[in-house]
Amino acid sequence: METSGRIATTPDALDFTVENVEKGLHQLYYDPNIENKNLAQKWLMQAQVSPQAWQFCWALLSPDKVPEIQYFGASALHTKISRYWSDIPSDQYETLKTQLFSQIACFSSGSKMVLTRLCVALASLALNTMPEVWPGAVPEMVRVFQEEGGGVDGRARCLALLELLTVLPEEFQTSRMPQYRKGQVRGALGREWGSVCPLLQQLLRQGDSPGAVKARVLRCLSSWVLLDVPLSESEGLVEDCFTALPDPELFDTAVEAIVNAISQPDSQRYVNTLLKLVPQVLSLQEQLREAVQNGDMETSHGICRIAVALGENHSRALLEQVAHWQGFLALVNMIMFCTGIPGHYPVNETTSSLTLTFWYTLQDDIMSFDCERQAVYLQVYRPVYFQLVDVLLHKAQFPSDQEYASWSSDEKEQFRIYRVDISDTLMYVYEMLGAELLSNLYEKLGRILTNTEQASSWQHTEALLYGFQSIAETIDVNYSDVIPGLIGLLLRININNVQLADTVMFTIGALAEWLADHPVMLSSVLPLVLQALGNPDLSISSVSTLKKICRECKYDLPPYASNIVAVSREVLSKQIHKTSQCMWLMQALGFLLSALHVEEILRNLHSLITPYIQQLEKLADETPNPSNKLAIIHILGLLSNLFTTLDISKQEDESGESTAPPVKTAPLPPGPNPVVVVLQQVFALIQTVLSKWLNDSQVVEAVCAIFEKSVKTLLHDFAPMVSQLSEMLGQMYSTIPQASALDLTRQMVHIFARETDHFPPIKALFELVTSTPALCHPDLFLSESLDVKAVFHCGKCVLLCSRTHTLLICCGLVVQENGKLLLQAVLEAIGGGSSRSLMEQFAEVLFSLNKHCFPLLTVWLKEALQAQGFPSTRVTTEQKDTFTQQILRERVNKRRMKDIVKEFTLVCRGLHGTEYAAEYCL
C-alpha cells in the first residue's frame, strides 16, 4: 500500500494487513476514480484468498468497524472455508466452529448482511464436516441458540438460528463439492429435517410469535423443501402456510414456501397429500376474487402461482384419481379464471401469462392415456378447452385505440410477446380439438361480419383472425373446408385500423400453401397484398406475406408478375420500407421471376435493377464517405437478396415439395443463367467499387455476398464466372485479405476444385491465399508450386488471433513434421496470448494431438516447456511438470482436458484462486 492510502501496483504492495485492507475498502467504496476502484477490487480479491486472510478477517469483525468492513471480513471467512477447506488443519475445526458461533451471537442484534454472511460461513463449515466430523450439526445449532446468555435477547437468537438454518440448504445447493460427497451430505441434511421441522412448526403455530419470526420460518421452509424433503413429512407445515396467506406481511413468503414445496419433482409420489392440498387451494378462490375486484395484483398473482404449481406439476397424478375428478375439475376451472383474469396484460394484470404452460401440460397428460381412458377424459375436458380458446382470444384483444396509444413501448412489446404465447397455445390446442376448432372460429367470425344490426369492434374481428392465423401458420389446413369461406370473409372486412390490417396480411401469408393448392383464389387476395405494400405501417406484414405467396405459389403467378414487379419497383423507389423489408421484397421477386421464361426474367431484371445500377455507377465515381457507403451497401444488398432466390433450375420449392404440376414450368433454354448474365454485365462496375472501398470490410462483405449467394443458389451454373471471379479474389488477397472473401473462396473451392475446366484458376487462387487461413481440397496439395508448410504455418498463426473461425484442416498434412510449432502456438495462446473464451478450442487441439501423436507430443511438451518463462512468467517448473503429466494422462475424457487447460491458463494469467476463477471454471 502507498502511504497516501491509495493501492500501489507494485508486487510489494501485496501486504495484506488490517490497515491496508481497510484502505482498500475505502478506496473501493469512496474513490471517484473508476480505475482506482477497479484496482482496489482486484487487490481485495487477492487479499481475500491470501493466507493472511485468516489473521485480518477476525480483526475486521471488531464491533468498532463499520458494516462494510465487517462484511468483507465475514466474506473472507466464507471464502477460506468454502474454497480452501483443505488448508485448515483438522485439529482447528472445533475452534473455528466455536469462534463462528460466538460471532453470529454477537451480530444477531447487529448488521443483517454481516450476520447472513457469518451464517453462510458456518453453514459451509457444517457441510464440510458432516456427517463424519460433525454428525449432529443441526441439533447442536438449535441447542446453542436456545441457551440463554451472552446478553442476547431470545427474539434475536431465534432469528439468528432461523437465518443459519435457512442458509444451510442454500449453501449446499451452490457448493462445489464432488458428486459422491454431495450425495453423502444431501443424505445427512435429509436426516436433519427431523430436527428442523418440529421447530418450524412450533414457531409458526405459536400465537405470540412475532411476524418477523414467522416470515423467517416460511423462508426456512422454502429453503429446506428444495432438498427434496418428502412432501408427506412437510405436509403439516405446508398446511400451516395456507393459514398465513391472509396476513399481508406473510403473504409473499407463504406463497413461495407453498409453491416450492409442491413443485418438487418427488412430491408427485405423495398422492394422498396432494389430494388434501386441492381443497386448500380451492378455498383461496374467495380471496382471489376479492383481490381481482380490488385491483390487488400482488395477491391475485400469488394465489394463481399456487393453483398453477399444483395443477401443472401434478395434473397426471390428480387425473388418475378418478374418484376425485370433481375436485380436480374445480382446480382446472380456478386456473381458467386466472387465465381470463380481467384487464389487459401487462398494464392491468400480469397473472394470466402464468397459466399458459398448465394448459400444455394438462393436454399432454390427457393425450398420453390409452384410447379408452383418453375418450373419457376428452368428454370432460374438450368443452373446457373450447372455453379456453374463447378466453385466450378475449385476452389477445387489443385495448381501445386511445388506451393503446397511452402504453409505453415496453408495454406494447410485452403485449406482443404475450400474444405470441397465446398463438403458440392455440396452435397446440388444435391438436386436441382438430378441425372443429376452425369451424368454431369461422362461425364466430361469420356472425360478427354478417351481423348488420349490431356492429362489432375491430378488436373482436382481429382476435378471431389472429386465432386462424395462429393455427394456419404451423398446422396443415389444406384440407379444411372453411378456408374458402374465410377468404370470402376477409374481403368483407372494413380495414380501418393498422393492427387489424396487419393481422389480415399475416393471415393471408399463413394461407400461402393453401393458395398454392387453390390458385383460383390468388386473384382475390393479391390486390389486398399489393395495396398494403404501399403502406409503411404495414411494411413487415405485407412484405413477408408477398414473399410467402411468391415462394409457395410462384408457378401460378406469371399472369400477375408484371403487376407485382411494377408495384414493388414503385414501392422500392419511394423508399418507404426499412432495409430489412427491402431485402425481403427482393427475395420475393427472386422467387417470382424464377418461374418465368428466361426472356421475361431478363426483361424484368432490366427494369427492376437498372435504376440501382445507374445509382451505383454514380456512387462509384464519388469520393468515399459514410453517406455513400451506406447507399452502396444497400444496393449491393438488394442485388444479393434478389440472386439468393432467383433460381430457374429448381422445379420444387424450398421444402422439397412440388408446388405445381411439371407442365407449368417452361423448359430451360441453353445459354447462361440470367443471374450470370447480369453479374457479367455489372462485374466491371463492382471492380470499380472495390478499387475505392477495398479497405472497408463492410463494403467488401457486401460485394462478396452477391457472389457467394449466387454461387450457393446456382452451383455449377455459376461456371462462366469462375475464372474472372477467381482473378478478382486473388487481387483482393494480394492487397488486403478479408474474412468475407475467404468464405467466398471456400465456397468456390468446394464446388469447382474437382472440375477439370475450372481447376487452373481455382489452383492459382489457392496458391495465392496460402498466407491466409482457408478451406482446401486435398487434390490441391498435389500442386508442385504450393508451399504446404506455408499452409500449416497459416493455421499456426491463426491460433494466436482472436477470430473464432480459424481453420486447422491444413495442419493434418504436415503435423508430424511441424507439430511442435503447432504445440508452441497452442501453449503460447494458453499462456495468455489469446482470449480465454477460446480455451476449449485449444484443449481440443491438445486432445487430438494426445490421441493421435502421443509419442511425439511427449517429446514436444518436454522441449517446449523447458524454456524459461514460457508460456508465462507466472508458472513454476513444478506447475509445468504437473500440467504435462495431466495432459499426457488424458486421452479419453475431452471434458477433463478442457478443465485442465482452463485451470492452467488461469495460473498463467495470475487469476488462479480469484472470484473470477471460481466462476470461469464452473
Side-chain angles (χ1 to χ4, degrees):
M1 303 289 289
E2 293 180 339
T3 54
S4 63
R6 182 170 295 169
I7 295 173
T9 57
T10 53
D12 58 4
L14 302 180
D15 186 9
F16 302 123
T17 64
V18 174
E19 180 186 4
N20 284 347
V21 170
E22 290 194 44
K23 287 179 181 178
L25 288 167
H26 187 275
Q27 184 171 319
L28 177 65
Y29 287 119
Y30 301 112
D31 195 315
N33 187 306
I34 189 64
E35 291 184 8
N36 291 338
K37 284 180 178 288
N38 291 338
L39 186 62
Q41 185 175 27
K42 184 178 179 181
W43 188 90
L44 288 166
M45 287 172 65
Q46 292 174 305
Q48 204 170 39
V49 300
S50 68
Q52 296 95 310
W54 286 116
Q55 282 73 50
F56 68 67
C57 62
W58 300 109
L60 295 178
L61 289 168
S62 174
D64 62 338
K65 307 293 184 187
V66 296
E68 290 84 359
I69 291 175
Q70 294 170 334
Y71 179 82
F72 184 81
S75 293
L77 268 174
H78 172 246
T79 300
K80 298 298 286 185
I81 294 171
S82 61
R83 296 182 185 166
Y84 301 96
W85 177 254
S86 59
D87 295 346
I88 305 173
S90 57
D91 60 357
Q92 292 187 21
Y93 292 169
E94 195 64 31
T95 303
L96 180 57
K97 179 173 68 175
T98 303
Q99 286 178 295
L100 283 169
F101 270 127
S102 175
Q103 290 290 344
I104 290 172
C106 291
F107 279 92
S108 61
S109 300
S111 169
K112 172 67 168 63
M113 66 177 184
V114 180
L115 172 65
T116 299
R117 212 70 196 140
L118 288 168
C119 288
V120 172
L122 181 56
S124 183
L125 184 147
L127 295 174
N128 277 298
T129 52
M130 66 171 55
E132 300 89 354
V133 179
W134 195 5
V138 171
E140 184 175 346
M141 291 173 185
V142 173
R143 178 182 56 76
V144 168
F145 284 97
Q146 283 182 337
E147 291 176 353
E148 296 187 11
V152 182
D153 68 83
R155 179 175 176 275
R157 279 187 283 110
C158 182
L159 289 171
L161 171 60
L162 289 171
E163 184 67 16
L164 178 57
L165 294 177
T166 300
V167 301
L168 183 60
E170 293 172 351
E171 179 67 5
F172 170 78
Q173 301 286 5
T174 59
S175 63
R176 299 181 178 90
M177 60 183 70
Q179 202 60 40
Y180 78 92
R181 173 77 183 141
K182 203 145 192 168
Q184 289 178 341
V185 176
R186 179 184 286 276
L189 282 173
R191 292 188 291 274
E192 302 285 15
W193 175 243
S195 302
V196 176
C197 185
L199 173 68
L200 300 184
Q201 216 157 16
Q202 176 190 348
L203 292 172
L204 201 55
R205 292 176 178 177
Q206 276 179 349
D208 58 348
S209 285
V213 170
K214 289 185 176 181
R216 198 68 62 85
V217 167
L218 294 169
R219 271 193 56 223
C220 190
L221 173 61
S222 279
S223 180
W224 277 84
V225 295
L226 294 177
L227 292 174
D228 293 331
V229 170
L231 185 61
S232 58
E233 294 180 17
S234 61
E235 178 184 325
L237 261 174
V238 173
E239 290 181 356
D240 291 339
C241 292
F242 279 90
T243 64
L245 288 172
D247 186 339
E249 298 297 319
L250 301 178
F251 181 82
D252 289 339
T253 46
V255 167
E256 203 65 37
I258 295 169
V259 169
N260 285 346
I262 60 183
S263 298
Q264 294 312 300
D266 193 51
S267 58
Q268 59 189 334
R269 295 196 297 135
Y270 305 99
V271 177
N272 290 333
T273 302
L274 293 174
L275 289 172
K276 292 177 186 176
L277 289 174
V278 172
Q280 294 264 32
V281 175
L282 293 176
S283 69
L284 301 174
Q285 289 184 94
E286 187 58 36
Q287 188 179 357
L288 173 61
R289 290 194 184 91
E290 287 180 5
V292 171
Q293 289 172 359
N294 298 329
D296 183 355
M297 292 171 62
E298 288 75 17
T299 299
S300 58
H301 195 85
I303 294 176
C304 175
R305 283 187 64 202
I306 294 172
V308 169
L310 182 58
E312 191 174 309
N313 288 287
H314 307 295
S315 62
R316 185 176 182 90
L318 294 172
L319 278 168
E320 288 176 333
Q321 307 309 306
V322 181
H324 301 272
W325 70 272
Q326 289 174 311
F328 183 59
L329 181 58
L331 177 65
V332 171
N333 286 325
M334 181 179 177
I335 296 174
M336 180 76 76
F337 176 83
C338 295
T339 304
I341 202 163
H344 288 288
Y345 182 97
V347 177
N348 311 117
E349 62 91 8
T350 56
T351 298
S352 57
S353 62
L354 299 177
T355 67
L356 298 181
T357 308
F358 163 75
W359 299 109
Y360 286 83
T361 305
L362 177 60
Q363 179 175 326
D364 282 345
D365 288 335
I366 290 172
M367 303 305 285
S368 69
F369 287 114
D370 60 72
C371 294
E372 186 177 344
R373 295 177 72 188
Q374 190 182 116
V376 174
Y377 287 119
L378 286 175
Q379 193 173 0
V380 175
Y381 287 101
R382 268 177 67 89
V384 173
Y385 272 84
F386 273 112
Q387 181 189 352
L388 173 66
V389 171
D390 291 340
V391 168
L392 290 175
L393 291 179
H394 180 74
K395 293 296 295 182
Q397 286 187 23
F398 280 89
S400 68
D401 295 337
Q402 184 179 0
E403 184 181 347
Y404 190 66
S406 70
W407 285 12
S408 67
S409 58
D410 184 56
E411 288 168 339
K412 289 178 180 178
E413 176 61 12
Q414 287 186 58
F415 181 60
R416 184 193 67 79
I417 295 170
Y418 175 68
R419 278 170 51 98
V420 170
D421 291 340
I422 286 177
S423 173
D424 292 342
T425 309
L426 289 171
M427 177 271 294
Y428 206 74
V429 167
Y430 179 85
E431 297 293 333
M432 176 188 279
L433 302 183
E436 191 179 346
L437 173 56
L438 289 178
S439 300
N440 184 287
L441 294 174
Y442 174 68
E443 289 172 9
K444 290 178 179 175
L445 185 62
R447 279 200 301 270
I448 65 172
L449 290 177
T450 56
N451 189 341
T452 56
E453 297 179 3
Q454 184 178 1
S456 179
S457 68
W458 71 262
Q459 287 93 340
H460 195 182
T461 303
E462 190 277 336
L464 286 169
L465 268 184
Y466 187 68
F468 266 112
Q469 174 205 328
S470 303
I471 296 165
E473 274 183 338
T474 49
I475 303 295
D476 183 4
V477 295
N478 284 5
Y479 303 104
S480 171
D481 56 1
V482 304
I483 304 301
L486 173 63
I487 300 289
L489 290 177
L490 287 175
L491 303 177
R492 298 177 64 109
I493 296 175
N494 178 25
I495 304 177
N496 54 6
N497 177 278
V498 170
Q499 285 84 20
L500 177 57
D502 254 337
T503 304
V504 169
M505 283 298 107
F506 283 126
T507 303
I508 294 172
L511 297 174
E513 289 187 30
W514 184 90
L515 289 168
D517 288 339
H518 305 81
V520 69
M521 303 300 289
L522 282 170
S523 59
S524 300
V525 298
L526 269 176
L528 283 177
V529 178
L530 294 179
Q531 182 182 359
L533 209 59
N535 185 344
D537 292 331
L538 304 177
S539 181
I540 294 176
S541 60
S542 61
V543 174
S544 65
T545 295
L546 181 63
K547 180 182 171 183
K548 287 179 180 178
I549 290 175
C550 289
R551 183 183 64 208
E552 303 297 338
C553 312
K554 60 183 175 183
Y555 296 114
D556 298 295
L557 291 178
Y560 313 99
S562 59
N563 190 28
I564 294 173
V565 172
V567 171
S568 300
R569 191 172 60 240
E570 182 183 0
V571 165
L572 287 167
S573 67
K574 290 181 179 178
Q575 299 181 350
I576 61 174
H577 295 302
K578 293 182 178 178
T579 299
S580 55
Q581 278 72 61
C582 292
M583 302 306 158
W584 294 355
L585 187 50
M586 278 301 202
Q587 289 178 21
L589 295 173
F591 286 123
L592 174 70
L593 297 180
S594 298
L596 303 182
H597 292 282
V598 171
E599 316 85 67
E600 293 179 79
I601 294 174
L602 289 171
R603 187 172 63 251
N604 280 288
L605 278 176
H606 182 267
S607 68
L608 185 62
I609 68 176
T610 295
Y612 295 108
I613 301 303
Q614 293 171 346
Q615 188 181 352
L616 190 61
E617 288 173 342
K618 181 181 176 184
L619 291 166
D621 290 335
E622 296 177 2
T623 304
N625 64 68
S627 176
N628 57 26
K629 171 185 169 178
L630 291 176
I632 288 172
I633 291 174
H634 180 75
I635 293 172
L636 295 174
L638 292 175
L639 294 176
S640 63
N641 277 276
L642 176 63
F643 297 156
T644 298
T645 54
L646 207 174
D647 183 8
I648 63 172
S649 67
K650 274 194 175 181
Q651 305 301 319
E652 297 179 340
D653 68 3
E654 291 177 326
S655 65
E657 298 175 357
S658 177
T659 56
V663 294
K664 291 188 179 182
T665 307
L668 298 181
N673 187 286
V675 172
V676 172
V677 171
V678 173
L679 286 176
Q680 288 174 328
Q681 290 173 352
V682 301
F683 194 80
L685 174 58
I686 289 175
Q687 285 182 306
T688 304
V689 171
L690 269 179
S691 67
K692 290 191 175 182
W693 291 93
L694 196 53
N695 289 319
D696 192 295
S697 61
Q698 291 177 306
V699 174
V700 172
E701 185 176 345
V703 167
C704 291
I706 292 179
F707 295 104
E708 187 178 5
K709 291 180 178 179
S710 300
V711 170
K712 284 181 179 177
T713 304
L714 303 183
L715 298 176
H716 296 282
D717 286 347
F718 189 81
M721 296 288 298
V722 169
S723 180
Q724 58 191 135
L725 181 56
S726 297
E727 184 180 354
M728 186 182 83
L729 281 170
Q731 292 168 351
M732 291 166 64
Y733 264 92
S734 301
T735 313
I736 302 175
Q738 304 257 14
S740 53
L742 173 62
D743 289 335
L744 177 54
T745 300
R746 177 180 59 186
Q747 200 73 27
M748 296 274 287
V749 169
H750 179 69
I751 295 172
F752 295 107
R754 290 182 181 274
E755 296 191 4
T756 307
D757 292 344
H758 303 297
F759 189 79
I762 293 293
K763 185 188 82 168
L765 174 61
F766 189 80
E767 290 172 355
L768 195 83
V769 301
T770 50
S771 60
T772 304
L775 271 181
C776 52
H777 192 282
D779 291 349
L780 295 170
F781 284 91
L782 300 177
S783 170
E784 293 180 0
S785 55
L786 178 65
D787 184 355
V788 178
K789 286 187 179 180
V791 180
F792 172 82
H793 281 287
C794 152
K796 177 185 80 73
C797 294
V798 169
L799 286 174
L800 301 179
C801 298
S802 59
R803 298 187 181 276
T804 56
H805 60 270
T806 55
L807 306 167
L808 300 174
I809 280 181
C810 312
C811 299
L813 297 166
V814 285
V815 71
Q816 289 197 0
E817 182 182 346
N818 295 276
K820 185 179 175 183
L821 296 173
L822 173 63
L823 178 66
Q824 286 175 328
V826 170
L827 292 174
E828 186 178 341
I830 294 171
S834 191
S835 169
R836 292 187 297 271
S837 64
L838 301 176
M839 289 306 113
E840 292 200 358
Q841 284 85 345
F842 296 128
E844 292 198 19
V845 176
L846 288 176
F847 187 79
S848 295
L849 287 172
N850 201 25
K851 193 171 183 180
H852 302 292
C853 310
F854 178 76
L856 292 170
L857 181 62
T858 305
V859 177
W860 294 339
L861 272 172
K862 183 178 179 181
E863 292 176 354
L865 293 175
Q866 273 181 346
Q868 189 71 25
F870 182 84
S872 167
T873 56
R874 294 186 176 91
V875 288
T876 64
T877 303
E878 292 75 17
Q879 288 170 321
K880 288 195 281 188
D881 289 343
T882 301
F883 175 67
T884 299
Q885 293 166 12
Q886 290 175 323
I887 291 294
L888 294 174
R889 273 200 304 265
E890 208 49 69
R891 303 178 67 187
V892 177
N893 191 334
K894 189 182 289 186
R895 180 71 261 167
R896 174 64 186 143
M897 179 69 83
K898 291 177 180 179
D899 290 341
I900 293 167
V901 170
K902 282 185 176 182
E903 187 79 13
F904 189 63
T905 196
L906 290 171
V907 174
C908 291
R909 298 164 196 262
L911 296 172
H912 190 259
T914 63
E915 290 281 345
Y916 167 79
E919 296 301 319
Y920 177 72
C921 290
L922 280 178

